[in-house]
Amino acid sequence: MNRYWANYHSHNYYCDGVESPEAQVQAAVQQGVSTFGFSSHCPLPFLNGWSMKQDRLNEYLSETGALKEKYKGTIELYVGMEVDYIPGVCGPADFADQLDYTIGSIHYLGTNWNGDPWEIDGATEGFMKGLVEVHGGGIEEVLRQYYAHFRQMVQQDPPDVVGHLDKIKIHNIQGSLYDEESDWYKAEIDQTLDAIAEAGCTVEVNTRGVYKKKLDMYPSLSILKKMRLRDIPIMINSDSHAPGEITLAFADTAEQLRQIGYETVRVLLQNEWKDVPFDKDGLSLDK
């Protein structure tokens, strides 16, 4: 049985990625990807520097849909979006009926010092300004809100895939803000994973922290071990923003997942979610 890869978290020039969707497809084929998903950032009702603009949504859906037909027989393509969950503002259900799948992520948490949405996965400078000026430096309060939003999302507006679960750790440089081994933090993780398991969502293992931030994957290995005990399904995604990033850090990540007991990953194949075996060389797909 041949080995292939899959990636369902990718960004192109419709949002903050570079190059076209077709350039992504061609690179995916070259990198041994058998099933691939487009997932540009969804339009938001306020200005930011990285989301798709509302007036480009139909063009995005049309272009990626046409590529599905053009490359049929070469690679399976699926049209998704990474949808921000912002209570009362935006969520996966707002776009799901136009897509093959949704990735639900949290990039904003409350408001910043100007009363605008507070971006919590951008530059650390902006994160720290909000943390100090709005929350008085109370990182525990912020993290409790962050994981509460994930729980609310999977319970009230569940996506197909939960995006980069603990990405907020990018600001926790050398453990300067909080200890991931503290009892309160582990309790938040446990409660959140219980909610995800009950909702039946897949959680992505996102490799962008490895190849871009020189950190580790999202979520961390300690969280993935807890997920394995709960039988929470996973997929390996790269969160690529350029065609050359589509399969970065996949082999090492797959090896680590095997070591903690995962034997299958979830893929969208022949328009169905399936769990397939994998190892460091790729996914075992019956082609």
Side-chain angles (χ1 to χ4, degrees):
M1 188 173 291
N2 293 325
R3 294 288 196 272
Y4 303 89
W5 289 115
N7 180 31
Y8 302 97
H9 193 157
S10 66
H11 300 282
N12 52 58
Y13 61 22
Y14 278 97
C15 54
D16 61 343
V18 298
E19 298 194 43
S20 67
E22 185 159 21
Q24 289 181 296
V25 175
Q26 293 170 349
V29 172
Q30 292 171 357
Q31 293 172 44
V33 172
S34 179
T35 170
F36 178 80
F38 307 101
S39 64
S40 284
H41 290 290
C42 75
L44 289 171
F46 53 84
L47 293 176
N48 69 15
W50 43 267
S51 291
M52 186 192 316
K53 301 298 186 286
Q54 181 64 46
D55 61 7
R56 298 204 73 193
L57 176 58
N58 288 338
E59 183 184 356
Y60 168 76
L61 297 173
S62 177
E63 181 173 347
T64 53
L67 290 171
K68 290 175 66 172
E69 294 302 314
K70 180 176 180 178
Y71 285 89
K72 186 176 292 184
T74 300
I75 183 173
E76 286 194 25
L77 299 176
Y78 295 95
V79 181
M81 275 198 290
E82 184 177 12
V83 182
D84 282 84
Y85 180 71
I86 307 173
V89 176
C90 183
D94 294 334
F95 301 95
D97 62 352
Q98 303 175 79
L99 304 169
D100 295 318
Y101 69 98
T102 56
I103 298 173
S105 297
I106 294 171
H107 300 104
Y108 291 94
L109 194 64
T111 56
N112 66 15
W113 52 95
N114 291 322
D116 298 321
W118 181 33
E119 185 180 350
I120 50 81
D121 86 334
T124 294
E125 181 182 3
F127 176 82
M128 292 303 299
K129 184 176 174 64
L131 178 63
V132 172
E133 296 189 11
V134 180
H135 296 275
I139 188 64
E140 181 176 340
E141 172 199 350
V142 167
L143 286 167
R144 288 188 185 278
Q145 290 180 21
Y146 177 73
Y147 286 111
H149 275 52
F150 273 108
R151 295 192 293 271
Q152 184 177 355
M153 176 178 69
V154 300
Q155 290 165 347
Q156 299 182 13
D157 191 359
D160 296 297
V161 181
V162 175
H164 45 60
L165 180 62
D166 65 345
K167 193 182 178 186
I168 198 169
K169 71 186 177 188
I170 61 175
H171 308 298
N172 191 32
I173 301 167
Q174 296 182 332
S176 57
L177 291 178
Y178 60 95
D179 180 4
E180 291 188 26
E181 293 303 311
S182 61
D183 289 341
W184 68 265
Y185 185 80
K186 290 193 289 186
E188 285 294 319
I189 294 298
D190 286 338
Q191 189 178 354
T192 303
L193 296 183
D194 287 343
I196 290 171
E198 184 174 354
C201 296
T202 300
V203 174
E204 71 167 3
V205 181
N206 184 311
T207 66
R208 189 163 180 81
V210 178
Y211 67 82
K212 191 71 174 180
K213 298 289 187 179
K214 308 304 180 186
L215 297 171
D216 59 1
M217 64 194 88
Y218 316 125
S220 64
L221 205 57
S222 61
I223 296 175
L224 285 162
K225 290 176 180 178
K226 291 172 177 281
M227 288 168 47
R228 179 67 190 90
L229 293 175
R230 291 168 171 80
D231 290 324
I232 294 174
I234 59 169
M235 62 170 52
I236 303 174
N237 286 333
S238 71
D239 199 348
S240 59
H241 284 63
E245 298 174 346
I246 288 172
T247 59
L248 286 185
F250 274 19
D252 288 345
T253 297
E255 181 67 18
Q256 292 183 70
L257 293 171
R258 291 284 300 182
Q259 289 174 1
I260 65 172
Y262 270 104
E263 296 181 350
T264 62
V265 293
R266 185 154 289 179
V267 297
L268 189 52
L269 196 64
Q270 298 167 345
N271 294 304
E272 294 182 8
W273 292 107
K274 299 179 181 181
D275 295 315
V276 300
F278 74 100
D279 59 24
K280 64 180 178 61
D281 297 317
L283 317 182
S284 299
L285 303 177
D286 188 9
K287 302 290 285 185

